[in-house]
């Protein structure tokens, strides 16, 4: 299941192409090049949608309604919005929500901003799409404790709902699990965080930020090293990292079956976070000050720590306050309302020309070349010439392959016997993608 998921995430990526923004400290401009960073943090002009679930006003309206519908839960009292509250950045203001069994859930309710650009979902990235994610909380015993079959029957016998499903899904007018998931996903893709003062600065207004806030941004992209993971306008690289929080939750490791990914969690967006304290997958940090102190002083040293975490961050009290001042500029002054952005269907498929190559590089967490041509019977050689641990995964007709932890210096060889199209991705950095085209072997 996990494997399937990842191929989908890989395919999705082809369209999303997270611009390769920042590639290591070496080519980071010094000391602070405003034009460079303005280009990197510029907002997009549309929301991506998958071609098999286009956004229509009817579908989005239905999804919004379902998001608030307590009939999806077992006791008829819990809706998605019980935990994902609009005024709290679609989170719930507490460290961990109390589940149906009266015990705190294992993880904090994540805010839901800007997930249209997401490559994997949940703190540990275990769901490959918003559509796939949507059914999990309904049936989760501790979250909504619902029964999908019953919920669908209840919706189908409502006087209004079947009409709304028909309007949303004219091709397939029925109250089905698939349509329920698609409507919820389409609604969630409209949750685009609105512009803030930081965006005014990005657009060229030098006075939009106070000097201390700008100093904080300069630290964020400079010596504090935050931009290694919180990059691009959403402030996430979509990868999973161990940032040295104490705690026993193993996160990504068990999902992949790769202990090198233990304690790794998905880099969250930093947009509108003023409204969604407390922070981290376990809600263990209460304020931005605590977060900054964590990165500066409290990182638990262990072998799984992300290679993207600076070895040592020295920050004075003034610098810490400046970083916090900057983080505040990514939230609005009032509870945020979603921005309106037109939706555009993504075209899937590799955007680079396939070439013949003997070895694939993984430097700066990028497969290079990004698309290759092979003949059936040949083997693909992937060299980890990067500083990070990777986890190569392949999916396609008649082939699936999962490497163990691929440490720097390790090479993975994968033979392809069958012609076809294969996606290769990294389970720890889902934005890495290699497209492999295997043609029929030449007759000897
Ligand atoms: C009882 C509280 C609760 C309810 C109800 C709930 N969620 Fe969540 N939601 C959570 C928690 C906790 C997580 C994180 C779980 C994890 O990562 O393991 C989560 C994760 C998510 C994510 C992943 C976000 C990300 O950044 O990867 C999405 C999307 C989501 N929920 C949507 C929904 C939808 C849609 C519904 C209704 C069908 C719903 N949730 C109902 C608590 C809840
Ligand atoms: C190695 C990658 C990496 C670096 C470098 C990094 N972060 Fe993070 N950040 C993450 C990950 C991953 C999480 C979620 C961790 C978790 O919940 O276990 C996170 C969480 C956060 C959160 C909490 C967001 C929320 O909603 O819970 C904030 C705020 C934050 N980081 C700010 C910063 C700042 C400021 C810096 C620089 C001092 C920084 N980060 C450096 C990866 C990184």
């Amino acid at each position: 299941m996990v494997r399937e998921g990842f191929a989908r995430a890989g395919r999705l990526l082809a369209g999303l192409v997270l611009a390769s923004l920042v590639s290591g400290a070496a080519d980071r401009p010094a000391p602070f090049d405003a034009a460079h960073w303005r280009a990197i943090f510029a907002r997009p002009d549309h929301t991506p949608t998958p071609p098999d679930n286009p956004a229509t006003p009817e579908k989005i309206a239905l999804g919004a309604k379902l998001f608030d519908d307590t009939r999806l839960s077992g006791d008829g009292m819990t809706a998605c919005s019980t935990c994902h509250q609009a005024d709290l950045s679609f989170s719930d203001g507490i460290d961990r929500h109390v589940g149906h069994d009266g015990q705190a859930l294992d993880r904090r309710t994540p805010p839901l901003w800007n997930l249209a650009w997401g490559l994997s979902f949940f703190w540990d990235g275990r769901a490959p799409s918003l559509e796939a994610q949507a059914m999990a909380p309904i049936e989760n015993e501790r979250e909504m404790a619902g029964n999908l079959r019953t919920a669908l029957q209840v919706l189908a016998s409502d006087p209004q709902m079947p009409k709304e499903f028909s309007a949303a899904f004219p091709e397939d007018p029925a109250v089905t699990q698939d349509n329920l998931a698609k409507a919820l996903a389409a609604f969630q893709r409209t949750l685009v965080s609105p512009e803030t003062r930081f965006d005014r600065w990005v657009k060229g207004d030098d006075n939009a930020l106070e000097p201390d806030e700008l100093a904080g941004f300069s630290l964020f992209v400079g010596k504090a090293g935050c931009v290694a993971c919180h990059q691009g306008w959403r402030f996430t690289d979509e990868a999973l990292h161990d940032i040295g929080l104490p705690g026993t939750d193993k996160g990504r490791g068990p999902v992949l079956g790769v202990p090198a990914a233990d304690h790794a969690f998905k880099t969250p967006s930093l947009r509108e976070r003023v409204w969604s304290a407390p922070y981290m997958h376990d809600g263990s940090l209460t304020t931005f000050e605590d977060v900054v102190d964590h990165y500066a002083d409290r990182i638990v040293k262990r072998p799984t720590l992300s290679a993207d975490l600076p070895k040592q961050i020295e920050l004075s009290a003034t610098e810490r306050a400046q970083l916090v001042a900057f983080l505040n500029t990514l939230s609005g002054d009032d509870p945020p309302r979603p921005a309106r952005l037109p939706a555009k269907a993504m075209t899937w498929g590799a955007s680079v020309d396939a070439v013949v190559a003997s070895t694939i590089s993984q430097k700066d967490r990028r497969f290079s070349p990004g698309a290759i041509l092979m003949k059936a019977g040949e083997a693909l050689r992937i060299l980890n010439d990067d500083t990070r641990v990777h986890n190569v995964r392949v999916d396609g007709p008649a082939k699936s392959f999962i490497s163990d932890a691929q440490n720097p210096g390790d090479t993975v060889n994968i033979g392809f016997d069958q012609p076809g199209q294969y996606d290769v991705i990294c389970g720890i950095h889902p934005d890495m993608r290699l497209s492999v085209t295997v043609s029929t072997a030449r007759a000897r």
Side-chain angles (χ1 to χ4, degrees):
M1 217 186 88
V2 168
R3 216 174 287 168
E4 257 169 46
F6 272 87
R8 279 193 61 186
R11 240 167 270 140
L12 245 148
L13 194 259
L16 294 175
V17 187
L18 285 184
S20 53
L21 300 164
V22 184
S23 49
D27 34 292
R28 207 174 279 154
F32 178 74
D33 177 347
H36 172 85
W37 296 114
R38 277 174 161 142
I40 280 180
F41 285 91
R43 292 173 65 100
D45 58 5
H46 68 272
T47 311
T49 58
D52 61 355
N53 189 18
T56 63
E58 293 80 7
K59 199 187 287 176
I60 292 165
L62 173 64
K65 221 167 164 179
L66 292 166
F67 195 80
D68 279 335
D69 199 326
T70 54
R71 290 175 298 179
L72 297 181
S73 67
D75 63 1
M77 284 165 51
T78 314
C80 309
S81 56
T82 306
C83 296
H84 299 285
Q85 299 170 27
D87 279 357
L88 297 173
S89 273
F90 300 94
S91 182
D92 53 10
I94 49 177
D95 53 353
R96 286 170 304 146
H97 198 92
V98 174
H100 268 263
D101 54 4
Q103 306 284 312
L105 297 179
D106 296 334
R107 295 177 186 156
R108 163 181 158 239
T109 305
L112 301 183
W113 294 115
N114 308 323
L115 293 181
W117 290 264
L119 298 180
S120 69
F121 303 88
F122 287 123
W123 283 105
D124 55 15
R126 67 187 182 277
S129 69
L130 280 175
E131 284 78 0
Q133 190 282 333
M135 292 306 117
I138 300 178
E139 295 216 296
N140 184 314
E141 281 305 321
R142 305 188 59 202
E143 294 189 7
M144 298 171 86
N147 177 310
L148 264 173
R149 281 244 312 271
T150 319
L152 291 169
Q153 279 164 8
V154 172
L155 294 177
S157 58
D158 177 282
Q160 200 54 36
M161 275 296 179
K163 284 181 220 155
E164 298 187 21
F165 271 81
S166 303
F169 300 97
E171 318 279 296
D172 172 28
V175 180
T176 60
Q177 174 178 335
D178 211 32
N179 286 344
L180 174 65
K182 283 180 168 173
L184 282 168
F187 164 66
Q188 292 180 85
R189 287 197 179 91
T190 66
L191 305 180
V192 178
S193 68
E195 287 191 11
T196 68
R197 277 195 297 125
F198 174 69
D199 301 293
R200 298 222 308 274
W201 180 83
V202 167
K203 284 177 164 175
D205 178 355
D206 286 330
N207 299 320
L209 296 184
E210 302 290 333
D212 268 347
E213 295 165 343
L214 198 56
F217 180 53
S218 168
L219 289 164
F220 188 92
V221 298
K223 89 168 185 187
C226 318
V227 77
C229 307
H230 297 286
Q231 47 185 256
W233 77 279
R234 292 181 305 127
F235 290 86
T236 171
D237 58 359
E238 286 298 324
L240 296 107
H241 301 275
D242 173 5
I243 61 162
L245 289 165
T248 52
D249 190 335
K250 297 261 175 81
R252 188 66 170 160
V255 174
L256 296 179
V258 173
D262 278 356
H263 305 288
F265 292 90
K266 191 175 69 164
T267 308
S269 173
L270 299 182
R271 291 281 182 172
E272 301 297 347
R273 256 42 188 187
V274 161
W275 306 100
S276 65
Y279 305 106
M280 305 300 175
H281 69 274
D282 52 3
S284 59
L285 301 182
T286 313
T287 61
F288 284 158
E289 283 79 0
D290 296 339
V291 172
V292 171
D293 289 347
H294 164 76
Y295 285 109
D297 307 324
R298 301 200 191 129
I299 290 177
V300 176
K301 298 270 189 287
R302 57 191 166 214
T304 48
L305 269 193
S306 171
D308 290 296
L309 218 46
K311 290 274 163 300
Q312 184 68 46
I313 313 174
E314 302 271 355
L315 293 172
S316 68
T318 310
E319 288 172 326
R320 292 179 198 211
Q322 288 170 333
L323 266 174
V324 170
F326 163 66
L327 292 174
N328 282 322
T329 70
L330 304 177
S331 296
D333 295 333
D334 299 308
R337 294 290 166 251
R340 288 185 184 278
L341 276 190
K344 205 188 261 178
M346 304 306 309
T347 44
W348 313 135
S351 53
V352 274
D353 289 333
V355 297
V356 176
S358 55
T359 304
I360 303 292
S361 152
Q362 289 171 305
K363 205 158 188 287
D364 293 335
R365 59 193 234 195
R366 195 176 323 169
F367 286 121
S368 175
I372 66 156
L373 292 171
M374 294 175 53
K375 294 211 162 55
E378 289 178 350
L380 175 65
R381 184 167 182 270
I382 301 179
L383 166 68
N384 186 350
D385 48 356
D386 199 4
T387 52
R388 303 158 178 92
V389 177
H390 292 301
N391 173 241
V392 172
R393 311 172 80 82
V394 181
D395 216 331
K399 180 89 198 171
S400 72
F401 172 91
I402 299 179
S403 80
D404 284 336
Q406 188 198 9
N407 292 307
D410 288 358
T411 299
V412 169
N413 291 299
I414 313 165
F416 287 90
D417 299 330
Q418 299 297 322
Q421 186 67 44
Y422 301 83
D423 291 317
V424 181
I425 72 153
C426 171
I428 301 170
H429 307 93
D431 60 329
M432 289 174 65
R433 183 179 190 276
L434 166 67
S435 149
V436 179
T437 308
V438 180
S439 61
T440 322
R442 211 173 286 141
R444 285 165 213 246

